[in-house]
Each structure stands twice: as structure tokens, then as C-alpha cells.
Amino acid sequence: MTTPTLKRLLGTAALALALGACDNDSTGSKENQGGDLSFTYSGARSGQFAASGEFDRNDPDQNEFGVAVIENRELLLLAADHVQANRTDVFIMSAPAAQGTTTCTPTTQFADCTLRGYFAVGFTDPNDQEPDAQYLGYVGSIQLTELRDNRVRGTFSLLLEDENGDNTVQARSGSFDLPIVAASAISPNRSPVTAATLNRVLSRR
């Protein structure tokens, strides 16, 4: 994947929608409950990402949660995994908001692919704009096994690489069971970890 392709990935509307909808007063489903998103990864980095928790828009210090947003028929998965006292990893993925399977292969043209993924390792502070490492990609597969008004469940795999294309990370055995909230709930003032990630993404446009 070339650097221009990665820069296009960074500028997708799917990753921007959380910041772009902050003026909406809706707070999403009242049945919002805890969310889970996990996967194992190997390559330039290896380990397990396992985010679990209810997203609380009123907690500015929250550093672990799983949540989903749907806007314009696009699904955005957001999760933060508080690995240890001074480290939080963040994962973002966008895909069509339709039950079934979406797949992009290495030969799929970027313009024809509707998957986007972002994985940041090692935010050391809620307001940190620079993680230890970050990876992006669109080659992979996502299956939405259940999609309701207030919840989405499914599985995924994704190949990610750094901006130079020198190092790759393969996310495998991914699964998610997430509450769906209104885009306005993902506010930069309410979730510093997510806001830092999205600001980083948007700054590369």
C-alpha cells in the first residue's frame, strides 16, 4: 500500500463523522450497555486487544470502552483498551452498515473498498496525540452477524501497516458486541482517547 493510499485512508468521512456530528443533541439509545471488541495481532507488534466497558460521555477520563456509531449507512466501531497504568491502545474500523460479509483483497481497488481500519498502540496519556505506533489498512473482512437499532455484533480480520508500508500488523479472530449510540455521543470533549485518535487522523488530510 502506498503512502498516498494511506493518506486517503486517514481522510475518510467514516473516521471523521464522530467529530463532525458533535452539534447533534441526541444521546443515542437508552439501552446503551457495555461493549466488547477483541482481536489478536501479530507482525511488527504482537499481542491481544481486548476492550470491554460501557461508553460514558460524561466521564472525561474514561480509557476503556467499546461503542459503535451508524451514520449515512456507514458503521463505525470504536474501542479503547486500557492495557496498563500508562498505556491505552485504540482501534477504529468502518464498514457498510448492512448485515452480511464485506471483504477487500490486496487486488481490490481502493476506491472500490468499503473497509477502513486504524490501530494505535501506546497512548500514554488521555490527551496524547502521538501513540508509540499506528497502523492503517483496508485489506480484510468483516461479518455483521446481528444488526439492530441499538446493537451490532460480528467478526473481522484486517491487515494493517504503518505509513511507510515497512511494517505490518495482522489482526485476527476479531469479534465485537457493541451498543450503537448517536454520533453526537462521541464528542472530543467527552472522550479524550477517541478524540486524540480522530484528531490525529483528520490532521493528515
Side-chain angles (χ1 to χ4, degrees), residues 48 54 122 166 172:
Q48 181 172 13
E54 182 173 351
D166 297 329
R172 295 184 173 89

Side-chain angles (χ1 to χ4, degrees), residues 7-8 10-13 16 19 199-205:
K7 290 186 181 296
R8 288 197 298 272
L10 286 165
T12 60
L19 290 178
N199 282 329
R200 175 69 176 176
V201 168
L202 292 174
S203 70
R204 293 292 199 78
R205 280 205 261 183

Side-chain angles (χ1 to χ4, degrees), residues 13 64 93 95 112 118 121 136 159 173 175 201 203:
E64 179 149 358
M93 187 173 186
D112 297 329
Y118 175 82
V121 179
L136 304 102
L159 178 64
S173 303
S175 65
V201 168
S203 70

Side-chain angles (χ1 to χ4, degrees), residues 128-142:
D128 190 3
Q129 295 281 329
E130 293 287 345
D132 291 342
Q134 52 189 343
Y135 305 91
L136 304 102
Y138 63 89
V139 175
S141 179
I142 185 170

Side-chain angles (χ1 to χ4, degrees), residues 21-33 54-58 67-69 149-150 179-187 190:
C22 294
D23 292 333
N24 187 329
D25 290 329
S26 172
T27 58
S29 169
K30 294 182 179 179
E31 297 182 23
N32 177 27
Q33 298 176 353
E54 182 173 351
F55 180 79
D56 183 357
R57 62 177 296 173
N58 296 312
V67 72
V69 172
D149 289 341
N150 62 354
I180 297 172
V181 303
S184 59
I186 313 297
S187 163
R190 302 296 185 179

